[in-house]
Amino acid sequence: MYNLLQRANAIFAFAMTVTFGVLGAIAIVTPFLPSSPSAEITVKDIQVISYDYMSQGESEFAFIKLNLDADLTSLFNWNTKQLFVSVLAEYETNSHDINQVILWDSIIQSKEEALIKVSDLHNEYNFVDITTSFRQVNASYSLYWDVMPYVGVLTSGQTKSNHVIKFPPRSNEYR
Amino acid sequence: MSKWFEWRIDFEGQKRCEIISQVTIILFAVIGFAYGFLNQDLLATMKIYFGGIIFTSILTLPPWPYYNKHPVQWLPEISDKESEDPKKM
């Protein structure tokens, strides 16, 4: 520490160590912050169309229209960088116990954007079953989110909707 | 020129410098963390802490007179005649 370079080196190294301490403290404290997210999903319309996509044979495509009303602002604490939010459809079939399909997703980067109100949400991606037919299954819809912190452990959560609607039989025309 | 920019401090000064630098950095880390946590503002924590590091650098890097209050007591110079003494060879 007798000359400038020695002192600068010593102080920089110590500052680095303390920086890691501060970041560690932030990561440890974050899970104890309270949060109360809420979401409501209501199904407006379901259509099931049979279609030969890319010449793979006939299979059923579902087109879902939903209302989404969610308040995720309480998930935004000092350590939240962004939220990844998606609407899931979950159902059970004879051949497969758990089926989960993402209908819609969004990245939310600020507290203001966390008040989600989408009144005409339709599935962004093709909704197909792993077999070629849905067989008029009952599906429940839920909102799922990943909280991405600046420092620390990735956390997630989900709310389930009470609205369970049976899929209609296949039709040949899209309304 | 480089000798002047060496910014030497004596041993007692180094001791004081080490204590001051460590205490100040930790103090700003704790204050920054507490303020940021209470206001839920991560940017404030970072600003306070890194501002604290710069402040500590100003306090410790330049050779302030406070660090040179106990200069090293070098032994007196040996005169030329004694060093040519054949007995010491």
Side-chain angles (χ1 to χ4, degrees):
Chain A
M1 300 266 283
Y2 69 98
N3 67 2
L4 172 66
L5 283 177
Q6 290 270 323
R7 277 202 300 286
N9 186 29
I11 288 167
F12 176 72
F14 186 72
M16 270 303 109
T17 310
V18 174
T19 304
F20 278 110
V22 172
L23 293 177
I26 294 174
I28 290 173
V29 164
T30 303
F32 294 101
L33 293 169
S35 66
S36 53
S38 65
E40 207 185 289
I41 303 177
T42 47
V43 182
K44 275 163 71 169
D45 185 32
I46 307 181
Q47 290 182 56
V48 179
I49 312 294
S50 194
Y51 184 65
D52 187 352
Y53 183 73
M54 306 267 277
S55 311
Q56 299 292 313
E58 290 261 326
S59 57
E60 286 183 7
F61 287 74
F63 296 89
I64 318 256
K65 275 214 190 71
L66 305 168
N67 270 338
L68 173 63
D69 210 334
D71 183 0
L72 301 178
T73 51
S74 59
L75 291 174
F76 269 91
N77 52 44
W78 69 333
N79 198 12
T80 306
K81 181 169 186 280
Q82 63 190 18
L83 301 181
F84 178 76
V85 174
S86 55
V87 170
L88 295 185
E90 293 171 293
Y91 59 93
E92 205 180 285
T93 59
N94 292 334
S95 47
H96 295 83
D97 282 341
I98 302 176
N99 299 272
Q100 286 176 328
V101 184
I102 292 186
L103 301 180
W104 170 93
D105 49 44
S106 169
I107 293 179
I108 298 177
Q109 292 176 317
S110 68
K111 206 168 187 168
E112 293 74 36
E113 292 174 31
L115 269 175
I116 312 171
K117 203 172 173 66
V118 187
S119 56
D120 58 350
L121 197 153
H122 47 272
N123 51 319
E124 282 180 31
Y125 315 103
N126 284 332
F127 189 169
V128 219
D129 187 50
I130 196 167
T131 64
T132 51
S133 165
F134 281 110
R135 291 207 179 86
Q136 300 185 48
V137 74
N138 266 334
S140 63
Y141 303 86
S142 47
L143 189 72
Y144 171 85
W145 57 82
D146 277 311
V147 181
M148 298 176 190
Y150 283 107
V151 196
V153 187
L154 202 63
T155 51
S156 56
Q158 190 172 3
T159 62
K160 249 199 163 72
S161 146
N162 297 323
H163 210 179
V164 178
I165 276 196
K166 210 177 170 73
F167 275 26
R170 68 166 74 180
S171 82
N172 285 324
E173 272 172 34
Y174 185 67
R175 273 181 268 125
Chain B
M1 168 67 187
S2 62
K3 212 170 197 173
W4 175 83
F5 205 63
E6 230 181 24
W7 284 5
R8 277 175 179 260
I9 58 178
D10 57 54
F11 292 114
E12 187 61 36
Q14 289 172 38
K15 219 188 281 181
R16 293 176 175 177
C17 180
E18 186 175 357
I19 295 176
I20 287 178
S21 66
Q22 289 177 348
V23 164
T24 322
I25 288 181
I26 291 183
L27 200 70
F28 273 92
V30 169
I31 292 176
F33 180 83
Y35 181 81
F37 181 72
L38 290 174
N39 289 335
Q40 286 292 299
D41 185 353
L42 195 70
L43 198 62
T45 298
M46 290 300 144
K47 279 184 194 167
I48 292 175
Y49 178 58
F50 288 113
I53 292 179
I54 293 175
F55 176 65
T56 310
S57 309
I58 297 174
L59 272 185
T60 54
L61 290 183
W64 300 110
Y66 178 64
Y67 296 129
N68 271 317
K69 282 287 184 327
H70 300 261
V72 180
Q73 301 296 326
W74 299 109
L75 294 176
E77 273 184 39
I78 305 175
S79 62
D80 281 353
K81 273 193 200 163
E82 287 182 31
S83 67
E84 285 172 18
D85 197 332
K87 281 192 193 167
K88 289 195 175 164
M89 285 302 203

